[in-house]
Amino acid sequence: MDGNHYSFCQIIKTISVEFTREYSEDNTKEIIKGKIHYQSPSKTVIKIMDPINQWMILEDKEMLIYYPDDKKAFRIISSQNPFSMPFFQAFIGVVKEDYGLTELGYTMANYETNDNSLISHWNPPKNLSKFLGKIILEFKDNKIIRMELKNTDGKTIIKSLYKNHIFHGATYFPLEISTTTYLNASFTFEKIVYRHLQFNSSLPQDIVDFKIPEDIKVKEVKW
Amino acid sequence: MIKGSFGNLGKALSLFLSLLILAVPIVAQENWQQETIAKAKKQAGQDAPGFIFGIYGCMAPLIVPLVVGSGWMYKPSPPPTAVVGKSPEYVALFTETYQRHMQKAAAKWAWYGSAVGCLFWVALSVLTVFAAEEAYQPYYY
């Protein structure tokens, strides 16, 4: 574990937070509501309540999807990358001063300061510089307010805005994250609003001890 | 006669409404499935790892595209954001379609790489034979 990860685990043992996610693409809009329970270092349980009763358990390279009402379950196993929910990773990633970019192989190219704001520009790993563009992070009063990912031509392909921060430990956590992804001829928009945030509280026992009931046949998808 | 006409019209209308009640759920289901397949194809198009499979195909021509295309070794998982809040039927159809289209895209790139790899090996073989013939100098007495 590096220093950042160790201090993150010291600060955050568990997180529980309710969320609403709005996702818009091609003139359609989806809204889901639920609750996330996170247990350091790598277990995330997402309980969706609306529009469907669904549990998603992400732990390392396994994703379990469970439907209590339909009595169905899927187990999806990846042989490569561990599973994570990007909109929640964007939330907890703020604990790291560099947003975890150094761990991903990015290097800071330059930075500029203006009043209370800090804008840093990050270069991608050298071996991926032909495929990945730069990342720009903007902080104001120690709160992350903007992240932009550019392609190799310098065009913005992902832009995230962070608002409504709450202070815990030594970090400001954004309770609202809006992300626009620019595709070739269209774009997608995602807005996450978090509420009733709890750090280091005891997780419900059904979350800690969760197991698929034995009478439910689990469909496995693995490679 | 007028009463008979109204009777026939009423029967036709009842039949039409009955068919409509039966047809709407079927059409709705087909629409739902088509939309899911379209979304899975679009997601696979965005996620398809082209270049790396081109490299693999170049390194092991014919073998890599055949293995990848068969779906035996390569079964990519859909991203969690694509299936969160979705029904089990959606997850099953999306995952199956997503995997199939990712396999197709990977196999396509592997075939491109395989073509380049084959050309390389053929050229290398020709050069090797040519160099061997040049090195063999018969002596005439």
Side-chain angles (χ1 to χ4, degrees), chain B residues 15 37 109:
Chain B
L15 183 62
I37 290 170
W109 278 92

Side-chain angles (χ1 to χ4, degrees), chain A residues 31-204:
Chain A
I31 298 177
I32 62 170
K33 296 181 184 180
K35 193 164 185 177
I36 297 175
H37 298 280
Y38 170 77
Q39 187 173 39
S40 181
S42 60
K43 183 174 179 178
T44 307
V45 179
I46 302 161
K47 287 177 73 174
I48 305 297
M49 290 142 195
D50 185 43
I52 193 167
N53 187 3
Q54 178 197 58
W55 289 45
M56 287 182 84
I57 299 96
L58 310 176
E59 191 164 16
D60 293 323
K61 294 179 183 178
E62 182 179 280
M63 175 166 63
L64 207 52
I65 306 175
Y66 172 52
Y67 298 88
D69 297 341
D70 296 297
K71 298 196 185 307
K72 290 181 180 175
F74 298 88
R75 179 178 286 115
I76 301 175
I77 298 170
S78 169
S79 69
Q80 292 199 338
N81 302 319
F83 285 107
S84 65
M85 189 61 79
F87 61 77
F88 187 62
Q89 288 302 117
F91 175 75
I92 61 175
V94 297
V95 172
K96 300 182 182 179
E97 283 178 358
D98 61 357
Y99 208 52
L101 293 181
T102 306
E103 214 170 282
L104 294 173
Y106 280 80
T107 49
M108 190 189 292
N110 56 63
Y111 66 90
E112 50 200 86
T113 56
N114 186 11
D115 291 331
N116 295 325
S117 70
L118 165 69
I119 301 174
S120 56
H121 299 255
W122 296 76
N123 287 332
K126 279 186 184 169
N127 58 342
L128 296 175
S129 58
K130 287 188 179 173
F131 309 104
L132 297 175
K134 293 188 177 189
I135 288 181
I136 300 172
L137 295 180
E138 183 174 355
F139 288 81
K140 188 161 187 176
D141 297 325
N142 294 318
K143 301 169 192 169
I144 185 165
I145 59 170
R146 176 172 66 103
M147 188 281 294
E148 273 189 52
L149 169 67
K150 296 193 182 282
N151 63 11
T152 50
D153 295 329
K155 186 182 162 192
T156 298
I157 52 175
I158 297 178
K159 183 173 179 178
S160 292
L161 300 174
Y162 305 80
K163 295 179 188 175
N164 197 11
H165 295 75
I166 188 170
F167 186 71
H168 176 81
T171 307
Y172 284 95
F173 290 87
L175 293 183
E176 186 177 317
I177 305 174
S178 304
T179 301
T180 307
T181 303
Y182 300 94
L183 306 168
N184 285 335
S186 63
F187 65 93
T188 67
F189 177 74
E190 177 188 74
K191 180 176 165 185
I192 312 287
V193 176
Y194 294 104
R195 57 187 178 279
H196 303 142
L197 175 61
Q198 292 175 303
F199 289 102
N200 298 329
S201 61
S202 301
L203 294 181

Side-chain angles (χ1 to χ4, degrees), chain B:
Chain B
M1 193 171 91
I2 293 173
K3 196 175 172 181
S5 298
F6 272 113
N8 288 337
L9 182 64
K11 282 179 189 173
L13 199 58
S14 295
L15 183 62
F16 174 73
L17 285 173
S18 302
L19 287 170
L20 200 63
I21 288 167
L22 285 172
V24 164
I26 295 170
V27 170
Q29 173 141 1
E30 283 180 358
N31 284 343
W32 163 83
Q33 288 174 337
Q34 284 170 6
E35 281 175 17
T36 305
I37 290 170
K39 282 187 180 176
K41 282 184 181 176
K42 188 176 179 184
Q43 185 73 52
Q46 290 168 12
D47 297 348
F51 187 71
I52 191 70
F53 278 92
I55 298 284
Y56 292 156
C58 196
M59 287 162 56
L62 299 179
I63 297 171
V64 167
L66 285 173
V67 169
V68 169
S70 72
W72 173 59
M73 282 187 71
Y74 181 57
K75 290 183 183 175
S77 313
T81 44
V83 295
V84 67
K86 302 296 186 188
S87 69
E89 293 77 21
Y90 181 102
V91 171
L93 182 58
F94 186 98
T95 303
E96 185 195 347
T97 307
Y98 177 84
Q99 284 186 338
R100 196 166 62 244
H101 283 272
M102 287 285 277
Q103 286 160 1
K104 272 169 119 173
K108 183 179 78 174
W109 278 92
W111 279 116
Y112 293 157
S114 186
V116 171
C118 285
L119 282 172
F120 170 77
W121 287 112
V122 164
L124 189 65
S125 304
V126 166
L127 282 172
T128 306
V129 166
F130 186 71
E133 283 184 353
E134 282 284 313
Y136 175 70
Q137 297 284 345
Y139 291 94
Y140 295 98
Y141 293 97

